[in-house]
Amino acid sequence: MLMNRKIKNPSEFGKVLVILGGHSNEREISLESGRAVIDALQFLGVDTYEWDPAITSLHEILKFKFDRAFIVLHGRGGEDGRIQAILEFLNIPYTGSGVTSSAIAMNKATSKKIFQANNIPTPQAKIIHSLADAIQSSKDLNMPIVLKPIAEGSSLGMTIVTDIKDLDSAAELALSFNGIALAEECIIGDEVTVTILNGEALPSILISTPNIFYDYHAKYQSKDTQYICPSSNDSNLEKVYSEIALNAFRAIGCSGWGRVDFMSDCNEPPKVLEINTVPGMTEKSLVPMAAENYGLNFYDLCWQILETSIKID
């Protein structure tokens, strides 16, 4: 059971480095998430320190010889395998998924190919490099379509395009991040997310927003966004979400903890949009919400995520 701690004494974790902030477009959310984690771990008696790579150099931080790291870097640099590779080179254990699985999950096109190869339902999509590609994708996939950067989180740069006249600006926005983007079939229906923690799926969450979709504003600023957990009273549907989420997580090779996001209409099975390997840990974040419904408070959640840095036979 998740409620049973594998590590009983906080001293067994040693000196823990919480990595937050960084240089990505999700820096501010990462700082908020990281500070919430630091407060929780310190309350639990864990010897906790923080490192913001945008402020302090790796050379400076290594002087203190940490025993493990709790990664709360969102977006590029934190979820794409880079910080994981650095920590592995330094032989410092860390929370969550490894180098390869982090990199794959961050790349929406690569992860989608793996979902398709493993018969995991996911929206159809095309890679685009230009407006011409976007126009062709709108014909191949049929309008409306979703345009989004290939490797950003928090719905940054994402647009639902319902009219061809809006395609130019949407493509320009999506491509502005790194010159490559994804055009995806637009599913009109429920937006649902499932947290994975230590090999188990937590209760799903249905997200309801008056916005066109669950964008950055709806995630972090709006007071009108509503969350229903579990997403349905139908135990069979909840089981479907759990099984697909776990299969998607395993297919990418993810481990420890993460979040699987879905879109679902009433006519087809839920479809996986993406996997977040370092989800938000703010007061508005979905992982703490699912954990609370399961019976884990924020302190227990942080403890169990930290335990993912320890290999136990």
Side-chain angles (χ1 to χ4, degrees), residues 20 62-63 91 106 110 120 123 137 153 170 186 200 235 245 273 289:
L20 73 172
L62 288 180
K63 294 177 181 178
N91 200 30
M106 187 69 180
T110 304
I120 294 165
S137 294
C186 181
E200 187 167 339
S235 60
L273 296 176
M289 205 178 299

Side-chain angles (χ1 to χ4, degrees), residues 85-273:
I86 290 170
L87 293 169
E88 288 200 10
F89 178 77
L90 296 170
N91 200 30
I92 298 174
Y94 55 87
T95 54
S97 295
V99 177
T100 303
S101 55
S102 297
I104 292 172
M106 187 69 180
N107 188 303
K108 294 177 174 64
T110 304
S111 57
K112 187 171 289 289
K113 289 179 181 177
I114 293 176
F115 296 151
Q116 292 169 336
N118 286 272
N119 297 316
I120 294 165
T122 187
Q124 295 298 310
K126 301 283 185 179
I127 296 173
I128 67 169
H129 298 87
S130 65
L131 175 59
D133 290 342
I135 292 172
Q136 185 59 50
S137 294
S138 71
K139 297 174 182 177
D140 294 339
L141 300 171
N142 298 321
M143 297 285 271
I145 61 171
V146 180
L147 294 186
K148 51 186 165 183
I150 207 162
E152 294 291 334
S154 293
S155 301
L156 291 167
M158 176 176 160
T159 308
I160 294 179
V161 183
T162 58
D163 194 310
I164 194 70
K165 67 181 175 59
D166 299 322
L167 200 57
D168 193 342
S169 58
E172 182 180 6
L173 175 62
L175 291 166
S176 67
F177 289 82
N178 65 352
I180 183 170
L182 203 67
E184 190 173 64
E185 119 184 65
C186 181
I187 297 173
I188 307 301
D190 293 334
E191 189 155 1
V192 173
T193 189
V194 175
T195 293
I196 305 296
L197 178 60
N198 286 320
E200 187 167 339
L202 302 191
S204 65
I205 298 175
L206 172 65
I207 301 156
S208 175
T209 172
N211 295 15
I212 295 175
F213 63 94
Y214 190 47
D215 58 11
Y216 188 93
H217 177 266
K219 282 178 168 75
Y220 304 115
Q221 298 166 345
S222 175
K223 295 182 180 179
D224 297 322
T225 305
Q226 297 182 337
Y227 306 94
I228 300 168
C229 185
S231 65
S232 170
N233 292 325
D234 184 342
S235 60
N236 289 327
L237 180 58
E238 185 72 4
K239 184 178 179 182
V240 168
Y241 275 115
S242 296
E243 289 181 350
I244 295 175
L246 286 167
N247 288 339
F249 207 68
R250 295 180 189 122
I252 300 295
C254 296
S255 59
W257 73 303
R259 202 187 73 227
V260 183
D261 296 340
F262 293 87
M263 284 299 299
S264 176
D265 65 26
C266 59
N267 299 315
E268 296 183 357
K271 294 185 178 181
V272 175
L273 296 176

